[in-house]
Every structure is written in structure tokens, then in C-alpha cells.
Amino acid sequence: MGRHPDDLTEDDLRRAVDNQIPEGVDLDWKKDFYQGTDAGKKELAKDVAAMANTVGGLLVVGVDDGKRDHAHALAPFEPVAGRGEEWIRSVLANWIQPVIPNVGVRSLQSAAEGKIYWLLTVPPSTQAPHAVAAPGNDYNFRVHVRHGTTTRTLAESEIAQRYRDRFHAAATDADRVHDLAVAGTDHLTAYATARVPAGGSRAAWYPVWVSLTAVPAVRGDYPLTTQHERDAALDRFAKLAYLAITHHMKPDHPALVGRRQVRFEGSPTGQLHQDGSSYAALPLNIEKNPREPGDPKQLDQRELELELVAQVQTAAAWAAETGGAGDLMLSAALHRFDDDLIPLRLVVSESAFQHGTVGPISRTPAQTTANLTALIADKREAVSTAYSLVADLLADMGTHQPHVLTPEGDIRVDRLDGPDRSALTGW
């Protein structure tokens, strides 16, 4: 209909009627709103689940198809008490297994006084198949898909294949994360250990790094085959980095060549891939204890936590920029290029360094999965996701939990010193 579903107006629906826009696998016209009975709830769940199980799409309630499978007439209706957005979302949450994330539910006012339409935007799901069953009835469910202009029920063998496809996709994503992490770390290692004109290597100044690998479940597509395209992509990524909670993810130019990717070196060092995947690493400062010269060097735990938030935000921004969607699989890792067995002391404040744990850096990556749309829409979601990653890395080093991040998505600004607070440009 020539417009994003969130921007559709009644005039757009009227033009759809005038042009007799047909139904399809991703568009369904419904004349009447769903009844409040179990049958009505089941019908609503079936229509939404069928779209999610196919390619996603738009469900419009208040447009009559005239039994001709195309927009035939506008049919706005009066709102039904007790059956608004909250009721719709409750039905979808209770009647569909597993729950379909990020279904858009929006009422649209009609010029006819007191009447509305309902527009339900259903994203393609990476958790398909979604089954429909009455709450508490896990033994009598059906799986539906869109078939042309209709909805049909899958046979048992088809359902089994859909589950095999889901598990295969998850395994493929995990393999993709592993492969990108290996390639990204090879790139980082070559940069950090290369000899510099002044003598030695960069690892002498920055021996410890934290990296984040990200892969969207629904791959994007971004042109990265020419120098002009790579330069433009790096410029765009730099602008996205300014929207993170710190500017530390802003890459240095020039853009370096790579197969279907743009690489960059410096702080950060990483790779942006055509399909929305990414790898980026930032150096972490380690310092001698000025009070105890013989004590292990200190790693600022607060810096690690904040850097991971910025990495999560920019990884999500790049995935969305390429058209990626669904869940974002993330893997965070620590790297040390002098000697990864040398212990470090984690510190959370300059006055309490003696209370921090001492040990080698974590050698096992931390992994989690988050919804891409939520990461883009809410900075707190990025903080919560970073919390999960950094908590696992810190646990391997003997620390119970992050110091400034919370699982609810807050940043304890009162626990940051002046330099850390001034670094929070986007919080």
C-alpha cells in the first residue's frame, strides 16, 4: 500500500478498496472484530500465528473483502468494551505457543464518528512453528500457515519438518557466530601483535581487549563490494556509534577491504558483514597499583561493563541497518596478548582495589540471545543484555555480579567516578 504499517491512515485503506488490493500470504482483510468467546480467541490466534509461520504480514480488521479476496469496502466498527489492545495481546500470549514477539497492535480512528479499525503487524518469526491451543491444553494444538488468501492446518509430518528447520537454523546461527568470532579474533590478533615503527607491538600498550560477535537470525543485505560502498558503510556505522552510551565504538578510517565486509583497525578493531553480522573489539586499560608495585595489575570492572553496553548497541544498530531482524545472537570474549595466565585484579573503585578478585581473564566466551527490535527501541534492553554477558565473564574471574549494570537495564551512575560519568554521552 506504499506506506509503512505504522503510518497507514483511513485514506490508505480507502485507496486499497478503490484499487481492490488483493489478499495474499502477507495481507488479510477482516470485516468483523473477533468475538470474546473461546472460538473468537482461537480465530484471532490462528490468523496471527499463520502469518508468523509463513512470511509475516498485516492483518486489517474493519475492511470487508466481499468474499472476493480483495479489499471491497470499508467496514469500521465501534470499539468493544473490554476487548482493546490489552485483550488482543492477552489472547496472543495465552493461545499461541511459543509466544510471537513484537506483534504490532494499533487502533486507527475512522472519520465515521466513534468507529475504528484494528491493524495487527506480524513479523516473520525465527521461532516458528507457532501452535494454537486453548490455555492449559498442551495436548490439542494446531499449527496454521497462510496458503494464498486462506489459512490451512499443517499435517504432522509438516510440523515435524518445521521443528527440524528451527533447530537447524539455531545450529547454523551458532556455527556462524563461532566462525565470525574466529575470523575476527585472527584479525584482532594480527593488528595487536604487529610490529610498530617505534618498536615492539601494540599489545605492549593494550594487552587486554573485549570483543563482541553478533549474528541476526534473519540476515540482512547491505552492499559492501566496492570501495565506495565500504567507505559509505563505515561512515554510517560511525554515526550509529554516536548513538551508543559512549563514543568509544566510533571506528577509525580508512575502511579496509574484506570479502563481503568492511574491516577497520584501531580502537575499535573489527568487521562489518554484508548480512548484518559484526565483530568488534575494544582495548581495556590495565594499570599498576601505585600503592603496591608488586601487586597484580588492575583491570577496571566498570570500564568493561560500559564498553560491552556500547558494543551491544552498535552491533544491534548495524544488524538493523542492513535489514536484519528477529533475534540477535551475541558472543562476548576477553583477549590477552602478553600472557593470558598472568593474573589481574578486578577493581570497582580506586579506594577499594584491595577487595577485588585476582585471577586470569576468562577464556570462555559468554553468549546470549536478545530481540533485535527491542535492542534498537530501548537502551535498557541493551544494558540488560550486556549485564548477562559481563556477568558470565566476571563469574569466570571470581566476581559475583556486575558493579554498575543491573539485570533490569539500569546503570548505577552513582557508582561511576567523574571520567566514567563524562563518558556516558548517550544515557
Side-chain angles (χ1 to χ4, degrees):
M1 287 180 279
R3 196 186 296 268
H4 190 279
D6 291 346
D7 300 322
L8 288 174
T9 66
E10 187 176 39
D11 287 340
D12 296 316
L13 299 183
R14 184 174 292 106
R15 280 192 293 272
V17 170
D18 294 340
N19 295 320
Q20 298 185 353
I21 290 183
E23 293 182 321
V25 293
D26 60 352
L27 179 61
D28 191 8
W29 304 115
K30 307 287 290 189
K31 176 184 177 183
D32 300 316
F33 191 54
Y34 299 92
Q35 297 296 314
T37 61
D38 280 357
K41 296 175 182 178
K42 181 179 179 181
E43 185 70 14
L44 169 58
K46 182 183 76 172
D47 289 342
V48 172
M51 279 193 168
N53 287 334
T54 313
V55 295
L58 178 66
L59 177 64
V60 181
V61 185
V63 175
D64 185 5
D65 70 353
K67 297 184 178 180
R68 303 174 189 178
D69 297 330
H70 63 71
H72 177 69
L74 296 183
F77 50 90
E78 294 182 356
V80 182
R83 299 215 302 276
E85 178 179 349
E86 184 176 346
W87 179 83
I88 294 173
R89 293 194 181 278
S90 176
V91 170
L92 300 183
N94 289 302
W95 283 72
I96 300 177
Q97 304 174 22
V99 173
I100 303 169
N102 303 309
V103 174
V105 179
R106 180 168 75 97
S107 63
L108 176 63
Q109 289 295 130
S110 170
E113 185 175 355
K115 295 188 176 183
I116 64 169
Y117 306 85
W118 281 107
L119 278 64
L120 277 63
T121 309
V122 185
S125 176
T126 57
Q127 296 298 310
H130 296 273
V132 174
N137 188 350
D138 295 334
Y139 302 100
N140 183 20
F141 67 89
R142 296 288 185 271
V143 175
H144 308 276
V145 295
R146 292 286 292 173
H147 184 72
T149 61
T150 62
T151 297
R152 74 176 183 89
T153 304
L154 292 182
E156 182 180 15
S157 59
E158 293 177 300
I159 295 173
Q161 183 59 51
R162 295 292 180 108
Y163 280 116
R164 286 193 290 269
D165 290 344
R166 182 208 286 181
F167 299 142
H168 175 72
T172 300
D173 288 346
D175 290 343
R176 175 74 172 151
V177 169
H178 175 267
D179 292 344
L180 290 186
V182 170
T185 301
D186 287 345
H187 176 206
L188 173 64
T189 301
Y191 172 76
T193 60
R195 306 292 293 182
V196 296
S201 68
R202 297 180 183 89
W205 292 283
Y206 299 110
V208 179
W209 295 65
V210 58
S211 70
L212 185 73
T213 307
V215 173
V218 179
R219 306 289 196 265
D221 188 15
Y222 203 90
L224 293 174
T225 56
T226 68
Q227 180 176 354
H228 175 73
E229 290 171 343
R230 293 187 181 100
D231 288 339
L234 196 61
D235 287 341
R236 179 58 182 158
F237 183 72
K239 293 178 181 178
L240 295 172
Y242 270 116
L243 302 179
I245 65 164
T246 76
H247 290 171
H248 296 167
M249 283 299 295
K250 183 179 181 295
D252 293 333
H253 285 67
L256 305 177
V257 68
R259 182 182 293 183
R260 299 184 193 175
Q261 64 181 270
V262 53
R263 298 183 298 123
F264 48 93
E265 293 179 345
S267 177
T269 291
Q271 304 168 343
L272 305 174
H273 293 264
Q274 180 175 311
D275 66 356
S277 303
S278 63
Y279 175 97
L282 283 168
L284 299 174
N285 292 314
I286 59 173
E287 299 176 348
K288 293 181 179 179
N289 180 357
R291 304 179 186 181
E292 297 290 341
D295 200 57
K297 289 185 176 180
Q298 303 172 177
L299 173 63
D300 189 340
Q301 180 178 320
R302 297 163 302 180
E303 179 191 20
L304 169 61
E305 296 178 31
L306 295 179
E307 300 296 33
L308 261 176
V309 177
Q311 287 175 303
V312 168
Q313 288 181 296
T314 50
W318 173 252
E321 183 74 10
T322 68
D327 290 335
L328 191 65
M329 187 174 289
L330 300 158
S331 178
L334 291 170
H335 312 272
R336 187 162 186 178
F337 296 107
D338 48 2
D339 187 340
D340 60 6
L341 295 180
I342 298 177
L344 292 173
R345 185 184 296 280
L346 286 170
V347 297
V348 295
S349 73
E350 289 72 11
S351 60
F353 67 89
Q354 68 272 20
H355 303 304
T357 60
V358 176
I361 66 169
S362 172
R363 304 180 70 178
T364 304
Q367 296 186 338
T368 192
T369 300
N371 181 266
L372 180 55
T373 301
L375 288 175
I376 295 298
D378 188 357
K379 293 179 180 179
R380 293 168 59 89
E381 187 71 20
V383 172
S384 179
T385 300
Y387 176 95
S388 298
L389 294 168
V390 77
D392 286 346
L393 295 177
L394 293 174
D396 289 346
M397 301 175 69
T399 296
H400 286 288
Q401 62 196 36
H403 184 64
V404 297
L405 307 184
T406 74
E408 295 79 23
D410 293 317
I411 296 179
R412 296 188 174 104
V413 180
D414 60 301
R415 294 186 175 183
L416 299 176
D417 61 11
D420 284 329
R421 289 189 188 186
S422 63
L424 288 178
T425 55
W427 185 262

